[in-house]
Amino acid sequence: MEIATIPSIPFSGVFSFVADYGHFCTEQLSARAMYLLYARRFLHENEQHQAEEALPDILKNILFRQLPNGGFVYWPGNAVADEWITSYTGMFLTLAQEKGYAVHPNVLNKWKRFQRAAAQNWRMPQEASNWQIWQSELQQAFRLYTLAMAGAPEHGAMNRMKELPTLSQQAKWRLAAAYALNGKEKAAGELVFSAKTTVEPYSSNNYVYGSSDRDEAMILETLILMNRERDALQQAKVVSKNLSQEDWFSTQSTAFALMAMGRLAEKLSGTLDFSWTLNGKQQPAVKSAKAVYETPISTSSREGKVILKNNGKGALNADLITRTQLLNDTLPPIANNLRISVKYVDNNGSPIDTHSL
């Protein structure tokens, strides 16, 4: 059972996905780290402990991927920085440092220099398709947002971009977030005065790792930064629905959703205060300053009823969450032009009985 003061997200389910995630490009490592950074306050104690243990190792792994010029590469060994990954990774490192993790000042200083130079040199692409222009705009807006987050706003580049007459919806919201972080809420409001908060689905074949779900989570964060709490709560329901309905978890949409929800929980820090019964039996009442409360419920009885009474002032969101696993793997063996033969042998090539190891 999960009770929350914010629209619900399947925290434990996403944690299982993130904890077991086996891909290690810099985008996926940073997304995983971002999730763990913000999910800690929502997780069970044992999951929270796992997150705390995992973060320093991920952080160390990410730091090895910085080039001398301050940019970050997609894979170790690459020679050219990936601009979106550089912004994304720098954003995580800035937030990690804010939350008490050790990030060497030289790492962030080199990153800021790279970002500043890229922001100052950016120009709207000429003779490019609308699709290419859209990605380039969002790239620049995101870069300016990360610089503002790191306390090094590039005011000239921000103001030049704000004056562009045909900025895309996503670029407007990201640039508005940069202004809001810099305390310029009026400028942020002017940018998104008539901008929609829902994003039409689009092709995942893009170099800004984008999706409509990820972009709607970014919009939620911007609304929070602009102190538009009522609008943020409505947008949080959209983000919650997106994440809860996903058949698979995108690293970017997951990370940005948790980051935005984490900011919302910090903003609306209230108290969970409720009593509840399970199958007619009174359970210990809960009074907690946490944004999310989780407790396991026995599955020995296949049916039952939970009755919840809210004793506090704010709204509560309640969910019963189940996780299932097949007792027996019923999938047939499949081989499509690929077969693997495995033999365990010692140094002399003699077979080894793996059962006696």
Side-chain angles (χ1 to χ4, degrees):
M1 183 180 76
E2 183 179 279
I3 312 295
T5 56
I6 58 176
S8 62
I9 278 182
F11 295 104
S12 292
V14 180
F15 178 78
S16 299
F17 160 74
V18 170
D20 298 332
Y21 202 69
H23 301 280
F24 291 95
C25 71
T26 310
E27 183 271 326
Q28 290 157 337
L29 269 183
S30 298
R32 185 178 172 206
M34 186 81 76
Y35 170 83
L36 295 174
L37 192 66
Y38 274 93
R40 292 173 303 159
R41 64 180 296 166
F42 303 124
L43 296 171
H44 278 308
E45 198 169 311
N46 61 330
E47 292 173 338
Q48 190 174 350
H49 182 65
Q50 289 178 56
E52 296 283 1
E53 283 193 331
L55 272 165
D57 286 338
I58 297 174
L59 191 59
K60 193 182 299 181
N61 203 327
I62 288 171
L63 295 179
F64 283 119
R65 300 171 184 222
Q66 188 177 36
L67 296 174
N69 67 1
F72 284 87
V73 293
Y74 187 83
W75 286 112
N78 289 164
V80 179
D82 181 300
E83 290 189 34
W84 185 272
I85 295 303
T86 296
S87 294
Y88 190 51
T89 304
M91 176 181 73
F92 161 67
L93 294 175
T94 300
L95 291 167
Q97 186 184 59
E98 280 180 12
K99 294 189 179 295
Y101 287 89
V103 180
H104 198 283
N106 284 349
V107 171
L108 283 174
N109 287 337
K110 285 197 298 183
W111 170 76
K112 287 176 193 174
R113 281 198 297 273
F114 181 95
Q115 292 291 85
R116 245 185 246 112
Q120 290 167 356
N121 292 331
W122 181 82
R123 297 292 181 273
M124 184 72 81
Q126 302 298 314
E127 299 181 5
S129 68
N130 291 338
W131 181 238
Q132 291 169 319
I133 290 171
W134 170 78
Q135 291 177 81
S136 182
E137 285 178 353
L138 184 54
Q139 185 92 268
Q140 173 72 346
F142 185 43
R143 181 161 40 230
L144 293 170
Y145 156 86
T146 61
L147 280 167
M149 177 182 282
E154 193 59 39
H155 298 290
M158 287 167 63
N159 292 337
R160 284 194 299 275
M161 189 169 205
K162 182 174 178 288
E163 297 306 315
L164 293 174
T166 57
L167 273 184
S168 68
Q169 174 193 10
Q170 289 97 326
K172 284 180 180 178
W173 280 106
R174 253 325 60 180
L175 187 57
Y179 275 106
L181 282 167
N182 202 28
K184 310 284 187 186
E185 286 183 26
K186 184 181 177 185
E190 289 170 355
L191 262 167
V192 295
F193 177 71
S194 58
K196 294 192 299 182
T197 56
T198 55
V199 177
E200 292 295 322
Y202 55 87
S203 168
S204 60
N205 184 21
N206 59 77
Y207 61 78
V208 293
Y209 306 88
S211 69
S212 57
D213 290 358
R214 192 277 308 272
D215 296 347
E216 286 174 347
M218 283 181 157
I219 291 170
L220 169 57
E221 188 209 358
T222 306
L223 290 168
I224 296 164
L225 292 172
M226 293 173 65
N227 296 310
R228 290 170 54 177
E229 292 178 13
R230 184 175 294 181
D231 294 331
L233 280 169
Q234 291 304 311
Q235 186 71 4
K237 293 176 184 176
V238 174
V239 172
S240 167
K241 185 179 177 184
N242 290 344
L243 201 55
S244 299
Q245 287 184 341
E246 281 192 356
D247 295 326
W248 61 281
F249 295 116
S250 150
T251 49
Q252 288 253 326
S253 61
T254 302
F256 275 100
L258 260 293
M259 178 183 173
M261 286 296 196
R263 286 191 184 275
L264 185 64
E266 289 167 3
K267 192 91 170 175
L268 306 176
S269 54
T271 301
L272 287 168
D273 184 1
F274 63 92
S275 50
W276 63 292
T277 61
L278 175 61
N279 295 333
K281 186 177 178 182
Q282 190 69 41
Q283 305 296 314
V286 174
K287 201 162 188 175
S288 170
K290 283 192 169 184
V292 176
Y293 170 84
E294 285 185 345
T295 187
I297 292 178
S298 173
T299 55
S300 58
S301 172
R302 296 283 178 162
E303 296 180 358
K305 182 182 284 188
V306 170
I307 298 177
L308 185 79
K309 183 184 178 185
N310 186 359
N311 301 319
K313 293 180 179 178
L316 293 183
N317 297 277
D319 284 286
L320 290 174
I321 301 164
T322 57
R323 216 180 301 175
T324 59
Q325 184 175 354
L326 288 173
L327 291 175
N328 299 302
D329 186 353
T330 56
L331 288 175
I334 299 170
N336 293 328
N337 302 317
L338 178 67
R339 284 166 180 79
I340 299 175
S341 174
V342 180
K343 295 178 182 178
Y344 294 95
V345 297
D346 62 19
N347 290 338
N348 298 319
S350 303
I352 293 173
D353 180 9
T354 56
H355 297 291
S356 65
L357 289 177

